[in-house]
Amino acid sequence: MSAPSIPNLNTLRHPRSFARGRGRGTTSSSDPSSQNKQSSDQIVQQTDQDALLSRLSAVDLGYLQDEYARLFASEAERPRRFPIINRGTYVRTSAIDTLVQSFLQDTSGDPTCTKKQIISLGAGSDTRFFRLRNSIARHALVYHELDFPAVTAQKISSIRRSERLLAAIEAQNKQDTEITFSQDGTSLHSSSYHIHPVDLRTLASPSPLSSSPSASLPGLCPTTPTLLISECCLIYLPPHSADSLLARFTTSLIPSPTPLSLIIYEPINPSDPFGQTMISNLRARGIHLQTLQKYASLGRQKERLKVMGFGAGQRSADVKFLWDRWVDETEKTRVAALEMLDEVEEWELLAGHYCVAWGWRGGGGDEEGEHGRFEGWEDLPAQENDD
């Protein structure tokens, strides 16, 4: 399909309709350059609403089960996305859920090793913590979310207004602990759930006073096996900031020998006609995918993981491959029956321009990893390098 025949990506398939990207910082200044930076940040922050509405569309039509998503939206919002967007949201969510569950079930060769930690970068209105409620106590899971203060304030406001959300958090709290909120309403802390108002660019370039995990991110444990999740988050940072942020986690916040893993969900393949059209439409909205050229393919995503310290294993697959290989035939039949998908060629084009990459570091921090660590991840089907 040639570029001119591709429908308008502004309304059909920009990354925030098919992904969950978040904003990465805040500035406040009378300087014109700082105001431009603030405006750019706000544009990316506002796209969280797009992601939430896409998720609601997939939930309302039966693609996904998520009883919490609507609690973060207004009652009047009843979105209906295109079938290829709904399917993309389903595949992305299901694939990441598979990796998360595998991480939680892994004991690193030690059946007594059950405590786990998840850090979601640019979490926005994501509901994964609440959807994992049945796994939290069993795996002694502590969940951290990082995002703009403006975004965390909105999420916390929704939580405080909802008895169901508050009850879900309180149900996971240890005895004699309670939920605490900051005075400005931008942070939340409990024994199992932390919402941190943070500009990720400041973590990428930390000050000497914020070098310790407790100072930067209260509740973070540097010795607990940890999973980082970036769903269209790192891609909004300048490449040097994205790399520095990952380096901060791998060397300072979660240093070796603590087992550490990473899931990345991002667009790829910007150079073909479809990719160029996608980028052009996003640029028209003021959205810039800053790391896309540097990490433009499955092979580059895998190399990125290796260079960033996830030396024990690196895998990647585009969404089309994930649909074909990770979703069984019974589930494919169920999903296909939810609504007619006539745009098969468009679906394959779209699905080939997004990927999931996953990498891990064993407890020894060595290149080969250790037997028994992340075996579930290693065994999942993945694609060969495409470059």
Side-chain angles (χ1 to χ4, degrees):
M1 178 181 293
S2 63
S5 67
I6 298 175
N8 190 329
L9 300 180
N10 278 322
T11 58
L12 180 56
R13 38 183 190 255
H14 56 74
R16 294 313 307 261
S17 288
F18 191 27
R20 183 176 55 86
R22 308 299 177 198
R24 301 302 142 236
T26 59
T27 58
S28 179
S29 171
S30 59
D31 180 73
S33 63
S34 294
Q35 290 178 346
N36 289 339
K37 186 178 181 183
Q38 182 181 34
S39 176
S40 176
D41 288 343
Q42 290 173 341
I43 289 171
V44 179
Q45 288 180 55
Q46 292 163 2
T47 59
D48 179 62
Q49 186 70 8
D50 291 342
L52 176 60
L53 295 181
S54 290
R55 183 165 190 83
L56 285 172
S57 176
V59 170
D60 288 346
L61 290 168
Y63 285 86
L64 300 170
Q65 292 186 351
D66 186 346
E67 62 185 286
Y68 298 103
R70 184 151 297 283
L71 300 178
F72 292 101
S74 71
E75 285 298 321
E77 290 173 323
R78 293 285 175 181
R80 180 69 180 261
R81 297 299 199 214
F82 285 85
I84 61 173
I85 301 300
N86 290 325
R87 182 173 292 189
T89 300
Y90 163 80
V91 175
R92 180 260 298 170
T93 302
S94 300
I96 294 175
D97 284 351
T98 295
L99 288 163
V100 169
Q101 288 298 333
S102 179
F103 163 77
L104 293 175
Q105 293 164 9
D106 178 71
T107 61
S108 298
D110 180 1
T112 66
C113 177
T114 59
K115 188 175 181 181
K116 298 293 175 67
Q117 184 170 250
I118 292 177
I119 304 170
S120 179
L121 305 176
S125 57
D126 186 55
T127 60
R128 185 166 277 109
F129 165 79
F130 298 96
R131 294 189 292 113
L132 286 172
R133 65 195 185 283
N134 294 328
S135 300
I136 290 172
R138 184 167 67 253
H139 297 288
L141 174 65
V142 179
Y143 203 100
H144 297 264
E145 295 183 351
L146 284 60
D147 215 320
F148 278 115
V151 176
T152 62
Q154 184 174 357
K155 185 167 194 175
I156 289 170
S157 177
S158 296
I159 290 172
R160 298 180 84 164
R161 292 195 306 267
S162 171
E163 293 184 2
R164 288 178 62 194
L165 293 173
L166 286 170
I169 300 172
E170 290 171 348
Q172 308 303 333
N173 260 356
K174 295 179 181 177
Q175 192 173 8
D176 300 325
T177 62
E178 59 183 24
I179 305 171
T180 62
F181 302 93
S182 63
Q183 188 172 0
D184 63 1
T186 62
S187 68
L188 177 157
H189 299 286
S190 73
S191 62
S192 62
Y193 188 37
H194 299 269
I195 299 179
H196 305 276
V198 62
D199 179 339
L200 294 180
R201 292 171 297 207
T202 65
L203 282 181
S205 302
S207 68
L209 296 177
S210 64
S211 59
S212 70
S214 60
S216 304
L217 301 170
L220 189 72
C221 179
T223 60
T224 297
T226 300
L227 167 62
L228 294 169
I229 301 176
S230 169
E231 297 185 61
C232 276
C233 168
L234 295 174
I235 200 162
Y236 290 111
L237 292 172
H240 65 88
S241 295
D243 293 348
S244 295
L245 177 62
L246 290 180
R248 179 92 196 282
F249 276 105
T250 59
T251 62
S252 175
L253 296 176
I254 312 292
S256 181
T258 303
L260 179 64
S261 52
L262 170 65
I263 300 170
I264 295 174
Y265 174 79
E266 289 183 352
I268 53 172
N269 298 331
S271 299
D272 64 16
F274 185 99
Q276 291 173 2
T277 303
M278 178 175 66
I279 292 171
S280 175
N281 279 275
L282 286 168
R283 188 177 294 118
R285 298 179 62 214
I287 297 174
H288 301 276
L289 308 179
Q290 299 194 58
T291 67
L292 180 56
Q293 296 296 335
K294 185 174 182 179
Y295 302 115
S297 65
L298 298 178
R300 291 186 189 179
Q301 290 283 359
K302 289 167 64 176
E303 182 64 21
R304 170 195 208 174
L305 292 168
K306 187 174 183 178
V307 170
M308 288 293 102
F310 300 92
Q314 314 86 33
R315 303 287 188 274
S316 62
D318 64 35
V319 167
K320 182 180 183 302
F321 180 94
L322 295 171
W323 167 258
D324 291 340
R325 297 289 300 277
W326 285 30
V327 181
D328 64 36
E329 293 305 316
T330 299
E331 183 65 1
K332 283 191 179 79
T333 300
R334 184 192 74 82
V335 170
L338 295 174
E339 58 181 341
M340 183 69 69
L341 193 153
D342 293 325
E343 315 97 328
V344 176
E345 185 179 0
E346 292 177 3
W347 157 249
E348 292 183 349
L349 274 172
L350 182 63
H353 282 76
Y354 289 83
C355 80
V356 175
W358 60 104
W360 61 98
R361 177 185 75 194
D366 58 354
E367 289 296 316
E368 298 300 326
E370 300 179 16
H371 178 67
R373 296 192 188 280
F374 295 99
E375 286 185 340
W377 278 25
E378 192 169 16
D379 293 340
L380 287 167
Q383 284 173 272
E384 297 297 326
N385 290 4
D386 57 351
D387 57 0

